[in-house]
Structures are given as structure tokens and as C-alpha cells.
Amino acid sequence: MWVRDKDYAIIFENKVYNARDREHQLSKYINRTKQCNYREEQIFVVYLSSDGKEPDNQSWGNYKKDFVSRYVNLSFHDDIIDWLKKQIIPKIRGTDFYLNSAVLQYIDYLEGIYHKRTIYKEMNMEIKKVIEERLKLDKCLDNSERVRLLQSKIEDIDEIRQQMEEMQNEYRNKIFASWREEVANRFPQYRHTSPEDETHVGVIMEIEGIEIWAYIYENNQLYCQVEVAWDLPKRKRNIKKSWVYRGVKDLLPQEQAEAIWEYFDYNDFEGVFNCFLQVVERCQQEIERENRERIELEKEE
């Protein structure tokens, strides 16, 4: 989320699902904000982590030291849930029934993710009992030995988790690589976007000198998005005034002035890719229609 006022800009980066930091992600957001005529000292970064994890050093680029006093890490587990309960719920008016209901449901959802619901207390007690029995903690000489034994098992689990996450990322990258190959074969008439990271695939279509970018990218969820080229003046980047909007707006219902998109579950690979293929095919139809109309007008003249 990008909050801007005349005197400051705040970059909110949401990592509630522990998504990895893309290459130079925060650095790119800061550079983009500076391009909108904000001085560096007017820019602030709020990193909404799942459980307190800090951004990767590479995500900052060269900005990490410069933003020490203008950066905060807030975790959903320790900060956001309590903030919603203690600061937000009490301030919602009684007449705002639906808002109150929505916030309460979101709190319940977060507590479910982080196992903070009351029902999990009994479950956690059962889990502790199983751990004590399986590891034979009662056979240890003292608490120091129990601590060392548990620590060794935690380290084993952390290593397994890290390896599984690396394998998961490798397989995700292979999915995107196969998509890039298929898209290049299906649409050889178009240029293809150069991915800044491996979880990206897209094509660049053009008509009358205006470039339209259609692509899939990953950021907590999977997105299929269409936008006008970034190098155009802002007044020409309104996607709703573009020839492509009427052709794909039913496929991409989420919209801002400069882009339209649809988001999918983090693992809905089939859904997002099928949507992308439909989008490109619709764009192709619109390009052909525009070309036919232009030819007809030239004939009439």
C-alpha cells in the first residue's frame, strides 16, 4: 500500500503470508516514490511482517542505513492483532455494524493463522504432552538437558523447513520458466517482458505507438495484470481510456487508474495462467479490430 500526502509518503509492505522479498523490492518502491517528487527524508517504510522477520538486506539495495529512523517492523502475530482489538474495535461506532463484523472476522482469521484462538490452548497442551513422551523428556537428568535436547530438535526442524522452502521456490521458478516458454511459442508476434525475478512472465503489445503490458507476477498471491507502459506521461497512462480496457475488463475486475488485474490464491497456478492466456487473446482480438477500423477509415478518406 502506498500512502501519500503533500509532505510525506509511506510505503507499507505486507508480508502476512511470509512471502519472500523480491529482488531489491523495497529499494524499487523507494525509487518509485522519489520519482514522484518526494525527497528521501519524506519517505517512510512500514514492513508488516508475519512474525517479526526483517526484510532481506538485498531488498533495501543501498537504503538500509538511510532508513534506520524512518522504518518500522510490525508483526501481525504480536502487533496487528492486539492493535485491532484494543485500538480499532473500541472506536467503531455502534451503527457501523458491517465494519465491526468485518474487523472481528479478520481478527478471528488472523488468530486462526497464528493459533491464538482459545481452542488451540487445549490442542497445544496435547501437543506438548506428545513431545514430552516422544522425546522422553522425563528421562533427562535435569531441565538443562531437556533444553539442549529440544534445541537440537528445533535446529533439525529449521533445517528441514529451510530445505523445503528452497525446494518449493525452485519448483515455482520452474513453473514460471515453463510458462515463459509456452507464451513465447503461442505469441511469437509480441515482445516479451524481461523478468526482474524468476516469478514473472509477460508480453508487450503495441498499437499506434502505445505499449500495453500483460503479465503474471507473484506477491503474496498470484496476479494477472494489464497496464500501460510506465515510460508514458501520466496523463496517457489511464488504462480505462485505452483500447484494451473494454476487451478484458470482465476478466480483470480489480482496477486503478493505471492498471487492471485479478488476483488468485498463492498456489492457483492453473487459474492465473488460464486467465493470462485469455487476456492476451482478447488483447490480440482488440488489436485486430482496431487495425481493421483504421484501414476502413483510411479507405473512406
Side-chain angles (χ1 to χ4, degrees), residues 43-281:
I43 303 172
F44 299 82
V45 175
V46 179
Y47 195 79
L48 299 175
S49 61
S50 175
D51 54 9
K53 177 182 177 295
E54 291 289 336
D56 295 341
N57 285 331
Q58 60 82 18
S59 182
W60 283 106
N62 297 321
Y63 287 117
K64 186 171 183 178
K65 290 183 179 179
D66 297 334
F67 275 78
V68 169
S69 63
R70 297 192 308 282
Y71 158 76
V72 64
N73 183 325
L74 298 175
S75 79
F76 280 85
H77 183 278
D78 296 322
D79 301 306
I80 302 302
I81 292 177
D82 284 345
W83 172 68
L84 290 170
K85 284 182 171 181
K86 298 175 182 178
Q87 300 294 326
I88 300 303
I89 288 294
K91 295 179 182 178
I92 297 177
R93 296 177 301 181
T95 54
D96 290 332
F97 172 79
Y98 294 109
L99 175 60
N100 187 70
S101 175
V103 175
L104 287 173
Q105 289 180 59
Y106 188 54
I107 291 171
D108 180 68
Y109 170 72
L110 292 175
E111 289 185 331
I113 290 178
Y114 301 118
H115 297 141
K116 298 185 76 171
R117 291 174 178 155
T118 304
I119 190 175
Y120 289 115
K121 292 181 180 179
E122 294 181 6
M123 188 185 304
N124 289 339
M125 293 298 295
E126 290 297 322
I127 292 173
K128 287 180 180 179
K129 184 178 179 181
V130 171
I131 292 172
E132 289 173 348
E133 292 174 352
R134 294 289 178 88
L135 298 184
K136 297 181 171 59
L137 294 181
D138 60 323
K139 304 295 184 183
C140 293
L141 295 176
D142 53 27
N143 288 333
S144 297
E145 186 177 348
R146 294 185 183 97
V147 169
R148 285 192 291 271
L149 177 58
L150 287 168
Q151 182 61 39
S152 69
K153 297 302 179 183
I154 290 171
E155 290 172 358
D156 291 343
I157 292 171
D158 287 343
E159 185 173 347
I160 292 171
R161 178 186 177 91
Q162 181 179 351
Q163 291 298 321
M164 292 178 69
E165 289 177 347
E166 290 179 3
M167 291 174 64
Q168 185 184 48
N169 290 334
E170 288 174 6
Y171 286 123
R172 294 183 79 84
N173 291 342
K174 288 179 180 180
I175 290 172
F176 275 82
S178 68
W179 285 349
R180 285 192 288 272
E181 183 178 356
E182 182 174 346
V183 169
N185 292 330
R186 280 198 185 214
F187 307 106
Q189 69 272 42
Y190 300 130
R191 289 183 293 135
H192 300 269
T193 57
S194 299
E196 297 174 345
D197 56 45
E198 294 183 274
T199 51
H200 176 104
V201 58
V203 298
I204 302 173
M205 297 161 282
E206 182 177 333
I207 187 169
E208 296 182 353
I210 303 296
E211 289 184 353
I212 296 292
W213 293 34
Y215 54 90
I216 300 171
Y217 75 99
E218 171 191 300
N219 184 17
N220 300 334
Q221 293 173 305
L222 290 168
Y223 290 79
C224 179
Q225 182 160 312
V226 171
E227 63 184 34
V228 182
W230 278 89
D231 56 357
L232 287 173
K234 189 172 183 178
R235 66 180 184 279
K236 293 185 178 181
R237 297 199 64 243
N238 190 333
I239 190 72
K240 293 184 181 180
K241 295 182 180 179
S242 166
W243 52 268
V244 74
Y245 179 72
R246 61 187 171 191
V248 300
K249 62 181 180 180
D250 61 315
L251 296 174
L252 308 176
Q254 310 297 319
E255 58 183 49
Q256 291 180 344
E258 298 168 350
I260 51 176
W261 70 93
E262 176 66 299
Y263 54 82
F264 296 80
D265 180 79
Y266 190 60
N267 294 318
D268 188 5
F269 302 108
E270 182 178 356
V272 71
F273 191 59
N274 286 338
C275 179
F276 173 78
L277 294 177
Q278 291 183 65
V279 165
V280 177
E281 288 169 357

